[in-house]
């Protein structure tokens, strides 16, 4: 190439370079965010619930040095499995996948996991009768111009009389709350962001097995069990995490995934103290009582779903979507009803109260056919102490503040920290797990 | 979808019979920052999928333009244009083939200038950019309760085009062209639900959409 030609060519190339926006160069349009993760710091994740497990799985897969500190002796948090109670596997915590248009829906498809749509029939216990429909429309808690008052007050305002009390309690219970504490406005506003779909799916095995096999099994080697964290000192560059056993762990970044009950109750001491607006945000996110009671009967005398009991507003046939012969009825008890049953003080008293209610509904068949019960009270489980986060009256838009990072060192994940309407769910917790991994890695991106 | 194609076919057929009608085919390089972020987040969050989802970059399109007036001597002409573009992103993983499909329909107003006595021309256009974003998993449209999960968007597109007119035969012309366009573009909250199955995770629900286009057009009648 002679000099003139060389000059001409290089000029053309440089003009081309100027004209072509940088976006055209493949380097700038990477298919993956943080494609080259090159972080040699140490990350500690507190809590081995699904949010912590997913964050650990992701960080480990990116080659980051990560340790999970779990207070209890097992992983899964509000997910678990009850072995041996029935001839099919049972979830002690989360059991329905709420919609498939989410990350877990993709994982189910990719792993060929069997799930079935739960479209079982609804029956209502209304005016001391079992009916298939209600005289008045109860779908009043979504739409425009809703007030920031409780479900209970709004139901009264809208003319739903005392006979609807436990129907409304069931609607609030679905959100893990009591009708007296759940905000119509904030619940609806947060639900508006829900995009994962309205169908509910049940796992042939358990939801816990799915998470255990697909996610937890990849990180069990980096979980330190029976290690309740009591304090986090993030005053210096190196963060010091202290546990109840007297151990101290050093980290550069910490992801906190404990239930909101633990943060509200200051179970972990932060030093310096967390910003006041953050602790205020924690205090405004609700998390009520919750329990599941499994009742085993010799015959299936009950309907698939019974809504509106005064002791338990939601019973569901546990065998739907399962292969087995045992007749198991689930009592799904949330909010004030879970508080009332917990106050009875023993599993047998709880079982008796439920059997009495079912006897009234089914002419004494419950007690006559009763075999055994299993009570899973999440309110009394240490390190959990409740069901899931709900939207309280007067809450405001606090979830973003609650979930915001502190000093580029502390990151907050977990179901209640989901800001896009998927709080209260397993897939919502997973989303916060990867969201915070992204936020964390962005702070160290070179 | 059928209606899109009907509209395109109509405009093409129209071109064959009418004067001063132009039809074209083009390749477009697309850049929409927020969509990139949403797809990148999808890829980052799913280490269980080995093949990443490609960004929505490459699109193919057709267009039909109708110019008003018969005066060939005029340096400035006006017209209306309808363009349709299609972009697709496919990632084939074991048991899991994820396809994103983007349809863009752009009706607009065009101003056409002859540049001097040369066969060059310049065009400026303003258009309404409408889009539909769809997702398929394993060849099935993703749906919830039998309703497909999809997202729509709308924006205002400004475009500048430069082309070269080569008569073919004497009364018609073939016009290779390049164009650049920018659209501030508002998309429904559902877009992230289609791209990465969340909402609000990657931030705002508007983006700047940049289009770089190369193509060729056939003009019936001399402009
Ligand atoms: C009865 C019930 C039924 C549910 N049903 C469904 C359902 O059907 N579908 C659905 O999608 N969701 C359901 N959920 C909600 C779902 O279970 C949760 O949203 C999700 O599991 C929360 O995950 P997480 O990681 O945020 O928190 P968690 O699972 O609570 O994990 C937090 C972990 O932190 C640990 N921890 C706490 N304190 C400390 C400490 N100081 N130091 C170290 N570790 C600590 C805990 O032991 C726990 O393992 C249900 C929940 C309940 C209680």
């Amino acid at each position: 190439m002679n000099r003139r030609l060389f000059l001409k060519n290089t000029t053309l190339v440089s003009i081309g370079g100027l004209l072509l926006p940088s976006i055209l160069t493949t380097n700038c349009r990477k298919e993956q965010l943080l494609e080259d993760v090159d972080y040699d710091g140490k990350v500690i994740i507190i809590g081995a619930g699904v949010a912590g497990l997913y964050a650990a799985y992701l960080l480990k897969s990116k080659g980051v040095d990560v340790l999970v500190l779990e207070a209890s002796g097992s992983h899964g948090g509000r997910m678990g499995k009850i072995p041996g109670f029935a001839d099919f596997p049972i979830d002690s915590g989360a059991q329905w996948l709420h919609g498939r248009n989410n990350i877990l829906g993709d994982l189910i498809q990719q792993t060929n996991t069997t799930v079935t749509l739960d479209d079982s029939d609804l029956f209502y216990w209304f005016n001391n009768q079992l009916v298939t429909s209600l005289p008045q429309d109860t779908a009043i808690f979504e739409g425009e111009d809703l007030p920031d008052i409780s479900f209970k007050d709004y139901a009264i305002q809208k003319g739903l009389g005392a006979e609807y009390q436990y129907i409304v309690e069931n609607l609030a219970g679905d959100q893990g709350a009591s009708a007296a504490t759940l905000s119509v406005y904030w619940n609806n506003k947060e639900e508006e962001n829900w995009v994962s779909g309205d169908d509910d799916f049940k796992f042939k095995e358990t939801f816990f097995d799915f998470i255990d096999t697909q996610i937890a099994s990849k990180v069990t080697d980096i979980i330190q069990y029976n290690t309740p964290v009591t304090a986090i000192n993030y005053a210096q560059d190196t963060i010091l995490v202290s546990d109840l056993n007297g151990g101290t762990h050093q980290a550069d970044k910490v992801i906190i995934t404990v239930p909101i009950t633990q943060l509200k109750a200051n179970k972990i001491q932060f030093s310096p103290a967390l910003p006041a607006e953050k602790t205020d945000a924690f205090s405004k996110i609700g998390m009520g009582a919750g329990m599941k009671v499994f009742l085993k009967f010799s015959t299936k005398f009950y309907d698939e779903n019974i809504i509106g009991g005064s002791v338990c507003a939601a019973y569901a046939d546990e065998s739907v979507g399962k292969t087995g012969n045992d007749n198991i009825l689930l009592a799904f008890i949330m909010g004030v009803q879970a508080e009332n049953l917990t106050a009875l003080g023993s599993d047998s008293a709880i079982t008796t109260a439920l059997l009495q209610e079912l006897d009234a509904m089914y002419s004494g068949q419950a007690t006559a056919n009763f075999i055994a019960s299993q009570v899973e009270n999440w309110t009394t489980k240490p390190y959990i102490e409740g069901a899931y986060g709900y939207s309280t009256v007067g809450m405001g838009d606090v979830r973003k503040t609650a979930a915001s990072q502190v000093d580029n060192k502390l990151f907050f994940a977990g179901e209640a920290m989901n800001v896009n309407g998927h709080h209260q769910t397993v897939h919502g917790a997973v989303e916060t797990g990867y969201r915070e991994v992204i936020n964390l890695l962005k702070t160290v991106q070179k | 979808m059928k209606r899109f194609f009907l509209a395109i076919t109509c405009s093409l057929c129209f071109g064959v019979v009418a004067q001063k009608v132009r039809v074209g085919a083009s390749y477009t390089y697309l850049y929409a920052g927020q969509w990139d972020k949403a797809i990148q987040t999808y890829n980052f969050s799913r280490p269980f999928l080995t093949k990443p989802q490609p960004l929505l970059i490459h699109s193919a399109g057709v267009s039909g333009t109708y110019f008003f007036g018969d005066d060939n001597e005029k340096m400035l002409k006006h017209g209306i244009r309808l363009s349709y573009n299609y972009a697709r992103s496919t990632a084939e993983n074991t048991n899991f083939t994820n396809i994103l499909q983007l349809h863009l329909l752009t009706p607009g107003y065009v101003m056409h200038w002859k540049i001097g006595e040369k066969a060059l021309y310049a065009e400026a256009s303003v258009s309404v950019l409408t889009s539909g974003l769809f997702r398929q998993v394993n060849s099935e449209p993703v749906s919830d309760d039998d309703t497909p999960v999809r997202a729509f968007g709308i924006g205002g597109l400004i475009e500048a085009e430069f082309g070269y007119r080569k008569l073919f035969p004497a009364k018609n012309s073939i016009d290779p062209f390049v164009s650049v366009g920018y659209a501030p573009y508002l998309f429904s909250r559902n877009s992230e639900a289609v791209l990465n199955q969340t909402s609000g995770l990657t931030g705002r629900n508007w983006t700047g959409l940049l289009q770089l286009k190369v193509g060729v057009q056939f003009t019936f009648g001399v402009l």
Side-chain angles (χ1 to χ4, degrees):
Chain A
M1 189 188 295
N2 64 34
R3 194 171 170 269
R4 255 182 88 187
L5 195 60
F6 172 78
L7 277 180
K8 194 176 154 195
N9 283 354
T10 43
T11 313
L12 280 176
V13 168
S14 12
I15 290 170
L18 285 175
L19 287 180
L20 279 179
S22 59
I23 48 150
L24 273 177
T25 57
T26 43
N27 259 358
C28 291
R29 286 191 82 179
K30 291 182 170 165
E31 269 154 12
Q32 191 154 305
L33 194 70
L34 303 158
E35 202 155 86
D36 315 305
V37 174
D38 180 20
Y39 180 49
D40 53 11
K42 167 110 186 175
V43 179
I44 285 182
I45 295 171
I46 302 174
V50 69
L53 291 170
Y54 205 81
Y57 164 50
L58 210 47
L59 282 167
K60 194 180 168 194
S61 73
K62 305 287 171 201
V64 176
D65 182 10
V66 54
L67 171 70
V68 184
L69 301 177
E70 167 55 45
S72 71
S74 56
H75 55 258
R78 279 169 271 174
M79 305 190 77
K81 189 177 175 177
I82 304 172
F85 182 71
D87 63 354
F88 54 83
I90 288 183
D91 277 297
S92 59
Q95 72 182 82
W96 286 279
L97 175 70
H98 298 302
R100 282 188 71 157
N101 190 41
N102 57 53
I103 188 166
L104 297 181
D106 290 357
L107 187 56
I108 283 169
Q109 193 105 25
Q110 198 257 329
T111 53
N112 259 335
T113 304
T114 311
V115 290
T116 35
L117 176 68
D118 183 353
D119 57 356
S120 47
D121 294 332
L122 288 187
F123 288 80
Y124 301 94
W125 182 240
F126 187 74
N127 283 335
N128 292 327
Q129 276 183 339
L130 281 169
V131 293
T132 51
S133 62
L134 296 167
Q136 265 177 273
D137 184 12
T138 54
I140 57 169
F141 301 102
E142 50 195 61
E144 300 288 306
D145 302 325
L146 294 170
D148 186 14
I149 60 174
S150 72
F151 266 48
K152 186 177 176 182
D153 291 345
Y154 192 59
I156 295 167
Q157 209 179 81
K158 285 285 174 182
L160 293 181
E163 66 277 23
Y164 284 88
Q165 181 183 350
Y166 296 107
I167 305 286
V168 175
E169 209 57 68
N170 165 62
L171 295 172
D174 249 6
Q175 310 296 325
S178 303
T181 53
L182 181 65
S183 165
V184 177
Y185 175 79
W186 289 107
N187 183 65
N188 177 69
K189 191 165 168 58
E190 296 199 313
E191 287 261 302
E192 276 174 0
N193 292 325
W194 180 273
V195 293
S196 85
D198 292 332
D199 291 335
D200 289 332
F201 296 89
K202 277 179 91 173
F203 290 76
K204 185 170 170 236
E205 296 301 317
T206 60
F207 204 163
F208 173 78
D209 283 314
F210 172 69
I211 294 294
D212 194 34
T213 318
Q214 301 303 337
I215 301 166
S217 65
K218 298 181 169 107
V219 292
T220 39
D221 58 321
I222 51 166
I223 303 175
Q224 189 171 316
Y225 296 94
N226 301 306
T227 311
V229 169
T230 51
I232 299 174
N233 184 332
Y234 64 103
Q236 309 296 326
D237 279 352
T238 300
I239 305 167
L240 300 176
V241 177
S242 312
D243 68 47
L244 198 62
N245 311 322
T248 303
H249 314 263
Q250 295 192 349
D252 299 292
K253 310 273 175 189
V254 175
I255 302 179
I256 297 136
T257 74
V258 303
I260 190 78
T261 46
Q262 308 303 293
L263 294 169
K264 281 155 83 96
N266 296 319
K267 293 279 173 82
I268 298 175
Q269 296 300 315
F270 290 90
S271 115
L274 292 176
E277 54 169 12
K278 197 166 177 75
T279 48
D280 183 51
F282 292 161
S283 73
K284 287 184 173 152
I285 299 173
M287 179 152 151
M291 72 168 81
K292 282 168 97 173
V293 181
F294 300 91
L295 301 161
K296 192 180 201 172
F297 297 105
S298 51
T299 60
K300 190 177 283 186
F301 60 85
Y302 45 83
D303 298 291
E304 281 184 336
N305 288 286
I306 312 130
I307 304 299
S310 62
V311 180
C312 166
Y315 294 93
D317 182 349
E318 185 63 17
S319 66
V320 168
K322 304 278 181 179
T323 39
N325 297 316
D326 283 347
N327 303 307
I328 311 290
L329 184 66
L330 160 68
F332 190 82
I333 309 148
M334 293 282 145
V336 66
Q337 293 186 320
E339 285 167 26
N340 293 342
L341 287 180
T342 303
L344 295 179
S346 71
D347 288 0
S348 63
I350 292 171
T351 306
T352 306
L354 293 168
L355 289 176
Q356 278 171 359
E357 174 161 84
L358 288 166
D359 278 341
M361 293 172 176
Y362 293 97
S363 323
Q365 290 191 75
T367 305
N369 291 298
F370 177 68
I371 298 173
S373 74
Q374 169 88 29
V375 178
E376 291 294 326
N377 193 348
W378 290 91
T379 323
T380 53
K381 280 200 202 292
Y383 308 111
I384 303 285
E385 298 177 291
Y388 35 82
Y390 67 85
S391 327
T392 57
V393 175
M395 179 173 106
D397 201 3
V398 295
R399 272 187 218 273
K400 283 197 179 117
T401 312
S404 61
Q405 53 176 280
V406 176
D407 278 5
N408 283 347
K409 289 181 193 159
L410 307 182
F411 300 83
F412 291 81
E415 157 276 309
M417 302 294 170
N418 189 296
V419 297
N420 53 302
H422 292 170
H423 55 283
Q424 314 182 325
T425 66
V426 174
H427 65 268
V430 169
E431 285 165 11
T432 65
Y434 73 70
R435 180 196 69 200
E436 289 314 310
V437 168
I438 292 171
N439 286 339
L440 183 154
L441 292 175
K442 276 186 179 166
T443 65
V444 295
Q445 200 171 16
K446 286 175 186 150
Chain B
M1 193 56 221
K2 275 183 193 152
R3 276 191 214 141
F4 277 171
F5 285 117
L6 192 69
I8 298 303
T9 319
C10 286
S11 60
L12 290 177
C13 298
F14 185 60
V16 180
V17 291
Q19 289 276 296
K20 309 235 168 29
V21 164
R22 206 167 62 182
V23 292
S26 58
Y27 160 81
T28 307
Y29 178 93
L30 287 174
Y31 175 75
Q34 285 300 105
W35 288 352
D36 275 14
K37 270 196 202 172
I39 297 173
Q40 285 164 339
T41 303
Y42 172 93
N43 285 332
F44 181 87
S45 62
R46 287 156 172 80
F48 53 87
L49 298 176
T50 44
K51 288 200 193 111
Q53 193 71 34
L55 302 178
L56 284 166
I57 292 182
H58 307 291
S59 96
V62 287
S63 66
T65 314
Y66 175 79
F67 289 97
F68 304 111
D70 314 314
D71 187 352
N72 291 343
E73 299 308 310
K74 270 194 173 171
M75 296 299 275
L76 173 64
K77 291 231 162 109
H78 306 263
I80 49 170
R81 175 190 295 164
L82 182 68
S83 316
Y84 166 75
N85 273 69
Y86 174 71
R88 181 185 165 103
S89 152
T90 306
E92 280 181 47
N93 281 286
T94 318
N95 297 329
F96 192 78
T97 299
N98 191 52
I99 300 176
L100 301 172
Q101 291 169 310
L102 174 69
H103 302 272
L104 294 164
L105 191 66
T106 323
Y109 164 75
V110 190
M111 285 187 292
H112 175 101
W113 288 274
K114 290 179 185 174
I115 301 181
E117 292 306 306
K118 302 258 171 64
L120 296 174
Y121 71 86
E123 270 177 18
S125 63
V126 281
S127 315
V128 178
L129 180 80
T130 57
S131 77
L133 189 58
F134 303 82
R135 181 183 187 217
Q136 278 187 4
V137 171
N138 296 346
S139 309
E140 295 281 329
V142 174
S143 63
D144 172 47
D145 211 3
D146 295 331
T147 312
V149 175
R150 57 191 169 194
F152 299 101
I154 191 157
L157 174 72
I158 21 173
E159 236 177 331
E161 178 179 315
F162 299 93
Y164 174 77
R165 211 167 342 111
K166 171 114 186 87
L167 291 184
F168 172 85
K171 293 257 158 140
N172 301 317
S173 69
I174 283 189
D175 319 330
F177 71 96
V178 290
S179 85
V180 55
Y182 176 77
Y185 179 75
L186 213 71
F187 48 84
S188 62
R189 193 170 24 215
N190 249 12
S191 299
E192 251 184 285
V194 176
L195 298 171
N196 69 22
Q197 294 75 63
T198 66
S199 67
L201 201 69
T202 51
R204 53 176 205 244
N205 65 338
W206 70 270
T207 190
L209 186 84
L210 189 69
Q211 299 189 349
L212 300 172
K213 207 179 264 188
V214 286
V216 65
Q217 308 185 95
F218 189 86
T219 308
F220 300 88
V222 180
L223 283 176

